[in-house]
Amino acid sequence: RIHRRRGVRLHRAHQQQLGAAAGAPLLAQQPRGNGAGVVEHDVNQLAFRMDAIIEPVGRDLAAIGSLSPASQALIQRIITTKNGEKQTVAAKIWKPDGTLAYDTVAGGAVAPGQSADAPPELPRALAGNVTFAYNDTGRDHLVAMAEMFGVPLFEIHAPIRSSDTGDVVGVVEFYQNAQQLQADIAAAKRNTWGVVGLTGLGMFTILFGLVHSASQLIDQQNATLKQRVAEQLTLTAQSEQLSQKLQQASRHASESNERFLRRVGSDLHDGPAQHLALALLKMDEVARFVTSGTEDDKEHAAPALAIVRQATADAMKEIRNISSGLALPELQKISPKDALLIAVKSHERTTGSPVKVDLAPLPPRLPLPITICLFRFAQEGLNNAFRHAGGRDLSLSARVEGATLEVEVEDHGPGFSPEKLTTSGDHLGLTGLDHRVSSLGGTFQVHSQPGHGTRLIVKFDLPVSRLQGG
């Protein structure tokens, strides 16, 4: 029971020492991080063991105020050599009044009245706290002790308590070999740096993988964005070009229509209008005969009536010719091939000039505006060749090459310079065709030079669904 009570008191005292040691202010130049933890752990363990070992010293100090021979022998055993080297190299016992009771360095018990300088840690240790210092270059006596024994040391001041009352009855000051402590600190640092290195390497690997993946994703998105921007710029440029072409085609179409209407008006004025004016003039002579009935008026009425008939017939003929060029046949339900053949037959019937036809298989159906455009192209091309080439060796051909429909009208007449299309009004029909074809997305070409005939070509790009022959 006595031993159990003493053990409980020692355990409580040790807990107080542990709490005090954690906040001890004398830990100058201690290793930081895991090193500090190793020092605290070793100091606390040593203080606990020392408190258990020197418990008889506490009884002597409490009872007689000095150390008995048995206690002195106990302290000497503390600093004996272990495994070839000393672990505890020196020890001192201090009384509560600040006087030195025992010093292993000085040879043992200190005679009464012999003075010694009390360490500054003594008041704190007497208050029940454990203090320690390790490798403190600012503490001259600690440096001197380390040089004396030839090993690194750390210094500990621990209270000595009475086993009966638990009161502090003295202080033990001992110096411990720090070689093992240094080895423990170095191992802790190595372990710490190893863990930190492995952790850092793992984090670096993970971060590198994330950054690399993100970089690849950014590069892919950047390339895709650049491609889309380039496509958008291309589409914008094409849209602007098409818009300009459409505006230009619309403007030219309006100008061509105006010129065409003026030409039709001129043709009507110079042709049928003149014949009808002559007929109206001669109608006056016929009217005089009808009203007077004289022989003289009768003689003038007969030839006047013949002139009226001829002039009227000529006017009707010219009006029909003009109208036949303006009117469209029913093209709503016919194929492009039939539309071209209608234009050829109409030209042959009107002019009497034969046309050589070469039509390859064509799509059975095309959008109505394109079908009308092909009809007008054949009609105007053949009429233009008849007027300017005399209808010599006229030919019309059509074929599909790849995804392009191509129709061509050719003659072997005198030819002309294509530049005149924009500087002269002699080819208004061709200029109008150019604008009509451009407005529908096709291309119109004129190949001609003086003395070598003329070739007119129109081309339309067709969708795949239209590329079946008809």
Side-chain angles (χ1 to χ4, degrees):
R1 286 196 298 271
I2 293 174
H3 287 299
R4 282 200 299 270
R5 287 198 300 272
R6 184 168 61 86
V8 171
R9 288 195 297 272
L10 288 175
H11 177 71
R12 290 175 179 173
H14 178 62
Q15 293 298 322
Q16 295 174 355
Q17 293 169 359
L18 291 181
L26 300 178
L27 303 181
Q29 297 186 4
Q30 296 178 55
R32 295 295 183 252
N34 286 349
V38 171
V39 172
E40 283 197 35
H41 177 269
D42 286 358
V43 167
N44 290 327
Q45 292 297 324
L46 288 171
F48 184 74
R49 289 200 302 270
M50 185 64 70
D51 182 77
I53 292 172
I54 65 174
E55 188 267 340
V57 175
R59 288 200 304 270
D60 288 349
L61 290 176
I64 63 176
S66 61
L67 275 66
S68 66
S71 296
Q72 295 180 22
L74 177 63
I75 295 176
Q76 290 297 329
R77 286 197 300 272
I78 294 174
I79 59 175
T80 56
T81 302
K82 179 181 180 183
N83 297 329
E85 62 180 23
K86 294 180 178 179
Q87 299 300 313
T88 302
V89 299
K92 296 179 182 181
I93 303 298
W94 295 90
K95 296 180 180 180
D97 60 0
T99 60
L100 184 63
Y102 193 87
D103 185 357
T104 60
V105 178
V110 178
Q114 185 176 351
S115 64
D117 294 333
E121 295 85 1
L122 185 61
R124 185 172 177 83
L126 289 172
N129 300 301
V130 176
T131 65
F132 63 93
Y134 164 68
N135 197 26
D136 192 345
T137 57
R139 299 173 64 84
D140 296 337
H141 73 283
L142 180 58
V143 175
M145 292 286 289
E147 292 177 352
M148 177 187 303
F149 291 99
V151 293
L153 301 175
F154 64 93
E155 177 187 31
I156 301 175
H157 292 81
I160 302 174
R161 298 178 181 272
S162 171
S163 59
D164 295 327
T165 64
D167 296 332
V168 177
V169 295
V171 173
V172 58
E173 175 185 340
F174 61 96
Y175 297 86
Q176 190 75 12
N177 189 336
Q179 289 178 329
Q180 183 61 42
L181 177 63
Q182 288 182 337
D184 293 341
I185 292 174
K189 287 183 178 180
R190 287 195 300 270
N191 293 336
T192 300
W193 282 112
V195 172
V196 171
L198 291 176
T199 304
L201 180 61
M203 293 179 64
F204 175 79
T205 303
I206 295 173
L207 290 176
F208 178 80
L210 292 175
V211 172
H212 182 66
S213 300
S215 177
Q216 287 183 331
L217 179 60
I218 291 173
D219 290 341
Q220 292 175 357
Q221 292 178 345
N222 190 28
T224 302
L225 181 60
K226 288 182 178 179
Q227 181 180 0
R228 291 181 178 176
V229 170
E231 292 175 352
Q232 185 64 38
L233 291 176
T234 301
L235 291 175
T236 301
Q238 292 177 350
S239 177
E240 291 178 354
Q241 292 177 357
L242 290 176
S243 178
Q244 292 176 357
K245 288 183 178 180
L246 182 60
Q247 293 177 0
Q248 185 178 9
S250 177
R251 184 173 62 254
H252 288 322
S254 298
E255 294 174 356
S256 298
N257 288 337
E258 186 64 27
R259 288 196 294 268
F260 180 72
L261 290 175
R262 286 200 298 269
R263 192 184 72 180
V264 172
S266 178
D267 290 342
L268 291 174
H269 177 270
D270 297 338
Q274 297 298 327
H275 293 301
L276 292 176
L278 178 59
L280 289 174
L281 182 61
K282 295 300 180 180
M283 285 293 291
D284 292 338
E285 298 182 8
V286 177
R288 284 197 298 271
F289 168 73
V290 172
T291 55
S292 65
T294 62
E295 290 296 331
D296 184 53
D297 290 335
K298 183 178 180 180
E299 292 178 1
H300 291 86
L305 185 57
I307 292 173
V308 169
R309 287 176 178 171
Q310 185 61 44
T312 305
D314 291 341
M316 290 300 298
K317 181 178 180 181
E318 291 193 20
I319 290 175
R320 288 193 181 97
N321 290 336
I322 295 173
S323 299
S324 64
L326 298 176
L328 279 175
E330 178 57 46
L331 302 177
Q332 185 72 36
K333 299 180 181 180
I334 65 175
S335 66
K337 179 178 179 180
D338 292 337
L340 294 175
L341 290 176
I342 290 174
V344 170
K345 292 178 181 179
S346 174
H347 178 79
E348 290 178 337
R349 183 174 58 252
T350 303
T351 63
S353 297
V355 178
K356 182 182 178 180
V357 178
D358 181 15
L359 301 180
L362 302 178
R365 288 288 182 272
L366 288 177
L368 182 60
I370 295 180
T371 302
I372 294 175
C373 181
L374 294 178
F375 174 81
R376 286 299 191 192
F377 168 77
Q379 183 186 57
E380 183 62 29
L382 292 174
N383 289 338
N384 188 74
F386 179 78
R387 287 197 302 271
H388 299 285
R392 288 180 294 171
D393 299 328
L394 296 181
S395 65
L396 183 142
S397 62
R399 57 189 173 276
V400 175
E401 293 186 355
T404 302
L405 171 64
E406 182 177 320
V407 182
E408 178 179 325
V409 173
E410 183 178 9
D411 67 64
H412 292 80
F416 67 98
S417 177
E419 288 78 8
K420 291 184 177 181
L421 286 176
T422 57
T423 60
S424 171
D426 296 336
H427 300 278
L428 294 177
L430 297 183
T431 303
L433 275 178
D434 185 12
H435 299 157
R436 181 192 293 270
V437 172
S438 298
S439 66
L440 294 177
T443 58
F444 179 74
Q445 301 174 359
V446 178
H447 300 280
S448 182
Q449 56 181 335
H452 293 82
T454 302
R455 290 171 58 230
L456 307 179
I457 302 174
V458 65
K459 296 180 180 180
F460 285 101
D461 292 332
L462 303 176
V464 178
S465 59
R466 302 283 186 180
L467 300 180
Q468 298 180 355

